[in-house]
Amino acid sequence: MIITSCTPPPMMEGLDMKMFVSPKDRLDFYRKEIHHEANNLSARTNAYLTAQSFLVIAYASSMANTNPEWGPIFTLIIPPMLALFGVLSSMSAWPGIQAACDIINHWHRKQTDLLSCQPEIGPAYDDAPLFSSWESSYQGQSKALIFSKRTPWLFSAFWLFLGLFALIIQLL
């Protein structure tokens, strides 16, 4: 079915009711989406950190080159190039990490709205809240995403420093 602005609202409401039989089904769907996107974010962050760690090793090895014939030109060219590559890889990792964080925030907001609008699905069997107030607030969710969001920016600054350091050491 193609959804256009001409689609009548009653048709959409009936479709929504078929997809989610109960508020718990809707909550389960939101939780699965959050879990899926958190796994995507984790995989992206892990791949990014792994790549950065190999770049740091290559940078340190290239700075330690003591070959008397070609060592000075090697340490003048390769470490700044690795630093530039580190900055570029950080800049290309950022959109994917930011997109995953935005999607997680979207589903988390929908979950929070559902829990506040449907109080009967909030309490668990022992009348304790299903989610703590910190867990279901936007502030709690945003704090959980800070590491993944900041890592590309921190590594970009780190690589800029290392690139300048390599040039200054060799040229002075």
Side-chain angles (χ1 to χ4, degrees):
M1 170 197 285
I2 298 175
I3 301 172
T4 65
S5 61
C6 297
T7 305
M11 188 91 165
M12 293 299 294
E13 289 173 16
L15 228 155
D16 192 35
M17 291 306 292
K18 290 178 190 174
M19 187 172 178
F20 300 113
V21 178
S22 70
K24 185 185 178 325
D25 291 340
R26 188 179 295 265
L27 179 64
D28 289 343
F29 177 77
Y30 294 162
R31 293 297 290 168
K32 284 178 188 172
E33 289 298 314
I34 291 169
H35 181 73
H36 174 71
E37 287 303 325
N39 285 340
N40 283 344
L41 177 61
S42 175
R44 288 176 185 165
T45 304
N46 286 337
Y48 171 72
L49 290 173
T50 301
Q52 293 298 307
S53 68
F54 282 114
L55 272 177
V56 169
I57 292 168
Y59 176 89
S61 298
S62 66
M63 286 295 286
N65 188 346
T66 59
N67 186 309
E69 293 177 29
W70 51 272
I73 192 74
F74 182 85
T75 54
L76 178 64
I77 294 172
I78 300 302
M81 285 178 52
L82 289 171
L84 178 63
F85 184 67
V87 169
L88 293 176
S89 68
S90 293
M91 293 175 91
S92 29
W94 168 247
I97 290 172
Q98 180 63 36
C101 291
D102 289 345
I103 293 169
I104 289 170
N105 284 333
H106 166 76
W107 289 114
H108 191 268
R109 253 184 258 113
K110 290 185 84 66
Q111 173 188 283
T112 303
D113 290 346
L114 178 66
L115 290 172
S116 63
C117 292
Q118 301 281 335
E120 67 272 6
I121 63 171
Y125 297 110
D126 58 1
D127 291 330
L130 182 61
F131 300 104
S132 68
S133 60
W134 182 83
E135 202 176 20
S136 60
S137 71
Y138 182 73
Q139 181 183 9
Q141 180 66 23
S142 64
K143 284 183 180 180
L145 300 175
I146 286 176
F147 176 77
S148 292
K149 283 179 156 181
R150 287 187 182 166
T151 302
W153 296 106
L154 293 173
F155 265 105
S156 292
F158 174 71
W159 284 116
L160 286 173
F161 170 76
L162 287 181
L164 291 173
F165 177 76
L167 287 174
I168 290 170
I169 291 285
Q170 294 302 317
L171 295 176
L172 295 181

